[in-house]
Amino acid sequence: MISIPKLKNTDSPLFFLMAGPCAIEGRDMALRIAEQIVTLTDRLKIPYIFKGSYRKANRTKIDSFTGIGDEKALKILQEISETFGIPTVTDIHESHEAAFAAEYVDVLQIPAFLCRQTELLAAAARTGKAVNVKKGQFLSGASMKFAAEKVHEVNPDCQVLLTDRGNSFGYGDLVVDYRNLPEMQAFGVPVIMDCTHSLQQPNQTSGVTGGKPKLIETIAKAAIAVGADGLFIETHFNPAEAKSDGANMLPLDQLEGLLERLVRVREAIL
């Protein structure tokens, strides 16, 4: 099991969950989403980490939503952690962000496109916080060994997590190769399946990334069957109105039923 402060239900044999909105759009929406997921995961005994990006740096168009302000969003993440007694995770994009974000959150996440950025990984490791590295769409699971090694070279005690989010399939689609999960688990670190970003359809001519959210359950069930340690799911009250990545997010009212079914899958293979 992963070692992250404030993580609850760690004695559970179930998978852990990283879930929340793509971006922090405001205090009320973030707290409402967190409250619902905390209630649900406590009932199901699922270890839970709230996810929310304080800033979105990788956008297709220059006028795309990037955030409500760095410190404002990070303080919301801190409030969620203190209110519900849970850990939080957010993305960082440049080395100088690591120490700043680490003051507010428990896990620093390295976006897939940046997973080979040595100084970014090193900066995250130096904070002493857990580091979740998303596998690049252009990489195999086996090649993520070197990302984990970079973090541990700087900080041998750092809790490293690796997340699969699909591989590029042509110019505008992704495909999931489930061989990546056991390949990355062989490095002795927890491995997560990103069930929402793996269904993106990037590089659309509209300048807005598409997605196939109806397949979230398919991706998640297969990941649990393969033996994923954790799941990453972005969710929102109304994905159609989300300011970032709405095309591949799970409606929040569907999360309870999904997790209940995934728990049964997990119990069946234990």
Side-chain angles (χ1 to χ4, degrees), residues 146-177:
F146 305 107
E149 286 181 345
K150 287 178 182 180
V151 176
H152 281 145
E153 182 67 26
V154 174
N155 182 355
D157 297 323
C158 184
Q159 172 67 76
V160 177
L161 307 97
L162 298 177
T163 297
D164 190 10
R165 47 100 75 231
N167 282 85
S168 297
F169 187 66
Y171 291 115
D173 209 352
L174 298 169
V175 64
V176 176
D177 180 353

